Every structure is written in structure tokens, then in C-alpha cells.
Amino acid sequence: MSYVFPPPAPVSVPVVGQAARFAVHRIYCVGRNYEDHAKEMGHTGREAPFFFLKPADAVLVAEAGSTAVMPYPTLTSNLHHEIELVVAIGVGGSQIKAADAHQHIYGYAVGLDMTRRDLQNDMKKQGRPWCIGKGFDHSAPIGLITPTAQVPDIAQAEIALQVNGIDRQRSTVAKLIWNMAETIEQLSAAWTLQPGDLIYTGTPEGVGAVVRGDTLTGTIAGLQTLQVRVE
Ligand code: MN
């Protein structure tokens, strides 16, 4: 096989406790999946889950023990943080039932669904796609992936984000409106999941803006901390 230009190396995320890396296929994101975040965005009640995507190369990897550097994106003056539990798919499938979903999960990581909120809101008002607000370069920071067996309590884990050491978001994964298994059932009804897919499962309340020079520290109990500096 030859190519007209050299194809890029696969995007990949380090895994806790082993040298082999997790090669990323797609990035799926769940919208408004914690009640108090849905409320702060002007919505109420439980709605059917909805999804959007980011390009795989929007991943910004924080290597073990290091702080990832996120360039402040163009075109925005309202860059928001959204701390999220990321589910890493290891076994693909379609029409997966919630009861079987755990068999498809390789592991979990701390992620940030970084958002150009001003552009997202403009697009929403006009009924246009959110891509420019959500799917931009470096918009998906992620920490190391921890295999499932090492985090048996993930469904009850505390999730938090600090900016420059001050709490911005703090909740528990138990408050997901659509839990991980239900999300996989709904997502796999619409797309065939593949090994390497990442699912950003939604953010709790407390989203807000960051500026150049800020350091974001994302934690989920049992997972490796994610640290990102905006420059
Ligand atoms: Mn989000």
C-alpha cells in the first residue's frame, strides 16, 4: 500500500500499568447528563440522551506524571471546562444491551470536554451544528486510562475539577442521568462501537470559563489525576 502523503500515526492514550497504549478510534460525547448541569444550561427533566462527536485527533494527552499544555483556542473569549468520566471501549458492537455493556468497556479515564461556549451558544440559537464550539483542536484533554478491574467502584466515584486549586465542579458519577451501561445501549443503537472509541459521559454542574495561565486539575476517585495548563 502506498499513500500520496505519509498517514499520521494513530492518536493514542497511555494505560496505567503497561507499556501498550490505547489507540483512539472516535470520540463520542453525551450532552446534559447530570441534572444540575442540565438546569444551569436552562433545561429541566430527564430527556433522551443525545450525542455529539469530536475528531479523534482533538485528544490532548497528558502523559504519566506530566501537565498537558492546551493552547487557548482561536475565535473564542469564553472557553469553558467540563470535567467528565471517559469510558474507553475495548470490544466493539452494535445494538448492545445495557446488561451486557460492561463486557465492552476496557477502562476509564478523567477527561475534559473543553467548549467554546460563546460559539456553541451562537450555533444553538441559529439551529446550526455545534462542531465549532465542541470539536476543535485540543478540545478533548484526557489522562491515563485505568483498566476496569482496577476501579470496581467507578459508578459511585467522586468527580471534581479545580482551577488554580479552587473547586469549580464537585459531584459523583452516581448522579449520571443515563449511566454508563444505558449510554452504551443508546449509543450503540445509533453507531457501531469499535475498539478505541472514547465516550465522554457528560459533566456535572459548575462549568465556567478559564483563561490563559490557568491550571485545571481533574480528579475522579480511583483514576489518575488529569492536569492541564492553558497557554
Ligand atoms: Mn460535555
Side-chain angles (χ1 to χ4, degrees):
M1 183 79 75
S2 67
Y3 300 93
V4 297
F5 54 83
V11 173
S12 66
V13 180
V15 175
V16 171
Q18 65 172 87
R21 296 171 70 95
F22 183 93
V24 178
H25 176 247
R26 289 181 184 163
I27 305 173
Y28 295 100
C29 302
V30 187
R32 296 195 292 262
N33 204 17
Y34 288 82
E35 187 178 356
D36 288 340
H37 172 62
K39 284 179 182 164
E40 76 182 350
M41 299 303 285
H43 299 264
T44 54
R46 194 187 206 215
E47 54 188 344
F50 67 93
F51 307 105
F52 58 92
L53 289 96
K54 295 178 187 246
D57 64 359
V59 157
L60 175 66
V61 173
E63 297 293 337
S66 72
T67 299
V69 174
M70 179 182 183
Y72 194 92
T74 59
L75 301 179
T76 185
S77 53
N78 195 16
L79 175 66
H80 270 206
H81 55 75
E82 296 190 357
I83 184 73
E84 308 205 356
L85 171 65
V86 180
V87 174
I89 297 294
V91 177
S94 64
Q95 311 285 341
I96 298 165
K97 291 293 162 213
D100 301 324
H102 62 281
Q103 300 167 25
H104 295 264
I105 301 175
Y106 175 80
Y108 308 98
V110 178
L112 283 162
D113 167 15
M114 298 303 290
T115 303
R116 290 159 156 164
R117 191 73 73 200
D118 40 4
L119 296 183
Q120 184 200 23
N121 288 341
D122 285 350
M123 293 298 115
K124 269 189 200 173
K125 271 183 215 144
Q126 299 179 65
R128 291 178 176 172
W130 296 1
C131 308
I132 199 169
K134 287 290 195 179
F136 53 93
D137 297 346
H138 315 297
S139 61
I142 188 169
L144 271 65
I145 293 172
T146 300
T148 51
Q150 297 175 37
V151 271
D153 299 330
I154 195 68
Q156 313 296 327
E158 187 177 50
I159 178 170
L161 180 80
Q162 296 186 323
V163 177
N164 305 327
I166 309 290
D167 259 25
R168 291 278 189 94
Q169 297 184 265
R170 188 168 293 277
S171 187
T172 164
V173 173
K175 289 189 174 177
L176 279 171
I177 295 173
W178 298 94
N179 67 30
M180 288 174 274
E182 292 168 329
T183 295
I184 287 170
E185 177 171 311
Q186 300 260 359
L187 192 57
S188 70
W191 289 273
T192 300
L193 296 183
Q194 301 285 353
D197 286 338
L198 298 174
I199 307 169
Y200 283 60
T201 55
T203 196
E205 69 278 13
V207 300
V210 290
V211 297
R212 285 189 179 85
D214 282 348
T215 295
L216 292 69
T217 305
T219 53
I220 297 175
L223 302 182
Q224 299 282 307
T225 296
L226 168 62
Q227 193 141 297
V228 176
R229 188 172 66 252
V230 180
E231 287 192 357

